[in-house]
Structure formats: structure tokens, C-alpha cells
Amino acid sequence: MTMSMVKPPAMPGGASMHTETDATSTTDTWGGRAQARLRPGRSLHVDAGFDATQWDAEGTRWIERERMGTTTTMVLRTWPGVRVTDLGAFTQASLAAAPWLDAGAGGRIDRVLRRADGYARTTEWVPSGNVGVRIGGNRPLFGRAALGFGYRVPDPTELYGLLLRPDGFIYVGEPNLATEQSRSVEFSLGWKSERLRATATVYRNEISEYISTAVRGDSISGIPVRQYRNVADARIEGVSGALDVRATPWLEWRGTLSSIRGESRGSGASLPAIAPLEGTLAARAVPGGEWPWIEPELLLAARQDDPALSAGEVETAGFAVVHLRGGRSFGRTTAIAGVENVFDKQYRRHLDPQSIARPGRNLFAKLTRRF
């Protein structure tokens, strides 16, 4: 990570302010997989193989400000020649124990290598795996239970980046970040019939070395700084549901609901980027079965009154926003038109940048054709 400040001698001029920004960046991602399937029995199959993924990133951003006759140039080495390579070997088995019951288990091992200009090269071994059962088949009742041990490799920005984001913070990487490792438990249950489909899911994810951000307390050229860091232990748990009801041949209702809670297990502090209770409710009507379909949609969110203060988050107000869409197909051509944010509501979702509101009333039209 490199930053330099250049201040040439003052130039004649008034009190006007002028800013110019330029940037150059190159990112490449490539990968591949080789996999074979073995069938030791009629109801058992085993997949085994290996894969590889590599991220390359190089970027620089220049910001030049002229104020009161003085020019200040800030150079941000966004990605200092970063390369992150992940090499993994895996196996996954699936057993059809009965027409209504499937079971599975798997494991993998990864070798992760990191390097960047000006930093020492690091390597690590990362194990992971899973086990689960699924019921259902052709029955109306279906469900799933799973236990997983996973991982997430820090990306180039989290490791070595120096990036100015629209939320008004400069994000600084931490080259010593550890890879996230997690243990997750998930249960889901549902019902399906000709007119009804409903699902509900509950989950808990215990994460060690969770990657988060915190306000560092200083600034770069007057811009506050957030730095990536590992939280020793974190927990994310939640519940979600979906409902789809065909009330009549020409009317269908659908809705979703989700609630998430995230906290540091050591301090109990809230994790950043956790959305509040959110839901949607929509109805699609096709009068007469041949007229253009019409679909009003209601988007709801509760107030997020438990933001991550250590990351500089602020509370977010709840809102209710209405969208309206309609369309019709003519053979292979489909026409869709609508109004987003019908009542021109000013709102911001909790995961949006703090200084940017969602668009107001927006009219749109779209024409597509299949070939």
C-alpha cells in the first residue's frame, strides 16, 4: 500500500475549488476444475477432483484538488500488484437411502498463497467439509438439515487495498488478515402443492477470524479511514421465509421475510453490514387470462436501531415503498413497463452508502426478444 502527497508552490488564483480524478486498474480472475464421478453402488455416487482459482489485481488512483491557489495531489495505490491463489482438492458423496431421503457428506483441503509488491509472501492450509440430509421426493412436505465447515479467503482489497468508496470513507487493507473459517447449521422445512408453496429456514453461523471493518480514528487528506480487521469470534443467525399462493387462475400472491442478527461473541457488539427485518409482498394479476399482467409490489424494512458503531454506521429509518409493473408477451417478444417508488419516497437501505439515497419515482420500459 502506497500513498504520497505532493504540494507544489501556490499559484495565483481566487478561492475557487477544482478537483480532478483519474485511475488505472487491471484485474484478472481465472480458474479451472477437474472432476470425476464414481458409482460404488446403485444408490451411492462419489465425486472427487481438484480446482484452482487465482486473482490478480493492480491499480492506482490519482485525486488532484486545487483550492486557494494551492494544488494537492493524492496518489492511492489501490492494489499493489496483488496475487491470491487458491488450490483445492475435494470429495463429495451422495446416498439415496430411500425414495424420500437423501444423505450427503464431503470434505476438501485448500492451499492458499498470497503475495503483493512490498509485502512478504504467505501460505496456509485450510480444511472444510459438510454433512446433511434431505427429505421430500414427490411428497408435499420437504426439508433439509445441514452442518458445514467452511472458509473465505480475504480478497485483494481486504488484504492490501487503499480504496475511496462512495460512503465517504477510505478503506485500508490489512496484509496480516487470517482466512475466515466457519461452522454453520441450517434447517429448512417447506410444503408444496398445486396452489401453495411455502418454505421457512433458520440458520446459525459461528465464524472465527471474521473479517470486518472499524473506523481507525485518523484521516487521509481529510477523509476518514476504515480498516479491515479480524474479529476473533462472530455469530450470524437468522430466519427467512417465502410464500407463493395461486389464489385463482388469474391471481398469484407471493411474499418474503428475512431477519438477521450479527454480533461479536467476545464483546457482544453488532457486526457491520447487517440488514434489519425486511420483507416483500407482491400480487400478479392476469385478468381474463390473456390481458397484460399487472404486478404491484410492496417493499418493507424495519428501522435498524442497532448499527455497528465501531465501523461508523448510523441508524437507518424504516420504510415502505411501492413498485408497479406490467407487461405482455407477443410470441417471442416481451414488453414490460412500470413505475418504481410510485409515491416518490426518500429512503435508504441499511447496506447502502450513508450519503446516497435510493432513486425517487422512476419510470421505465423494456422490450426483449428471444431468438
Side-chain angles (χ1 to χ4, degrees):
M1 162 174 74
T2 303
M3 183 197 76
S4 62
M5 302 291 295
V6 181
K7 295 186 177 181
M11 300 181 299
S16 62
M17 180 176 178
H18 178 72
T19 301
E20 290 186 3
T21 301
D22 196 7
T24 178
S25 64
T26 302
T27 59
D28 295 299
T29 303
W30 66 265
R33 167 180 286 205
Q35 180 174 321
R37 171 164 291 187
L38 307 176
R39 293 187 177 274
R42 295 183 57 184
S43 59
L44 174 65
H45 69 257
V46 180
D47 294 316
F50 61 89
D51 55 30
T53 306
Q54 180 170 291
W55 302 270
D56 290 320
E58 170 69 50
T60 304
R61 184 174 186 179
W62 298 268
I63 303 174
E64 184 177 276
R65 291 189 176 95
E66 180 183 339
R67 185 175 184 181
M68 301 292 292
T70 300
T71 299
T72 302
T73 302
M74 181 167 59
V75 181
L76 305 176
R77 189 102 187 266
T78 308
W79 297 304
V82 182
R83 170 168 290 181
V84 180
T85 305
D86 187 345
L87 307 172
F90 62 89
T91 183
Q92 182 74 33
S94 179
L95 172 66
W100 53 272
L101 176 63
D102 294 324
R108 66 176 289 148
I109 185 73
D110 287 79
R111 180 69 165 169
V112 181
L113 306 93
R114 312 171 188 167
R115 77 175 196 192
D117 294 346
Y119 297 91
R121 175 173 170 168
T122 63
T123 60
E124 65 176 326
W125 291 98
V126 184
S128 57
N130 65 83
V131 61
V133 294
R134 183 176 57 188
I135 62 172
N138 294 324
R139 301 185 178 191
L141 181 67
F142 61 93
R144 179 175 180 269
L147 171 65
F149 299 87
Y151 74 100
R152 186 179 78 84
V153 177
D155 65 38
T157 298
E158 293 170 334
L159 288 167
Y160 309 104
L162 190 63
L163 186 64
L164 176 62
R165 294 190 183 274
D167 60 6
F169 286 85
I170 289 180
Y171 284 73
V172 176
E174 170 52 63
N176 295 317
L177 281 179
T179 294
E180 283 185 357
Q181 299 192 51
S182 64
R183 181 181 71 255
S184 61
V185 180
E186 179 181 314
F187 298 95
S188 64
L189 196 63
W191 181 272
K192 58 183 177 181
S193 65
E194 184 179 349
R195 290 193 172 187
L196 171 69
R197 184 178 180 91
T199 59
T201 302
V202 295
Y203 59 89
R204 170 176 284 191
N205 197 357
E206 306 278 355
I207 308 171
S208 62
E209 306 298 349
Y210 180 76
I211 298 173
S212 180
T213 59
V215 176
R216 205 167 66 178
D218 60 349
S219 65
I220 297 177
S221 192
I223 304 173
V225 175
R226 280 178 173 169
Q227 184 156 22
Y228 292 97
R229 60 184 177 90
N230 288 112
V231 177
D233 290 292
R235 176 189 294 122
I236 298 177
E237 53 191 6
V239 59
S240 64
L243 181 67
D244 197 324
V245 181
R246 183 169 292 278
T248 70
W250 55 270
L251 177 63
E252 179 181 351
W253 292 89
R254 71 175 190 275
T256 64
L257 190 70
S258 66
S259 176
I260 306 173
R261 165 70 179 169
E263 64 179 8
S264 169
R265 296 179 61 191
S267 64
S270 298
L271 298 179
I274 299 295
L277 176 69
E278 293 185 335
T280 62
L281 179 64
R284 176 170 291 202
V286 188
E290 295 185 6
W291 289 88
W293 56 265
I294 303 171
E295 184 178 86
E297 180 184 42
L298 176 64
L299 175 64
L300 299 163
R303 180 182 181 85
Q304 175 54 287
D305 55 6
D306 190 22
L309 300 179
S310 63
E313 288 188 347
V314 298
E315 294 186 2
T316 309
F319 60 83
V321 177
V322 176
H323 304 314
L324 181 63
R325 296 177 287 269
R328 186 172 182 177
S329 295
F330 306 89
R332 292 181 295 176
T333 302
T334 301
I336 299 175
V339 184
E340 295 177 331
N341 196 354
V342 173
F343 299 106
D344 201 24
K345 177 79 172 181
Q346 183 174 350
Y347 72 105
R348 180 178 74 85
R349 302 184 77 161
H350 187 68
L351 303 185
D352 294 339
Q354 295 179 17
S355 59
I356 300 177
R358 288 273 171 157
R361 185 182 298 114
N362 178 46
L363 307 178
F364 71 91
K366 181 171 67 174
L367 189 67
T368 60
R369 183 173 176 81
R370 302 190 310 273
F371 294 94

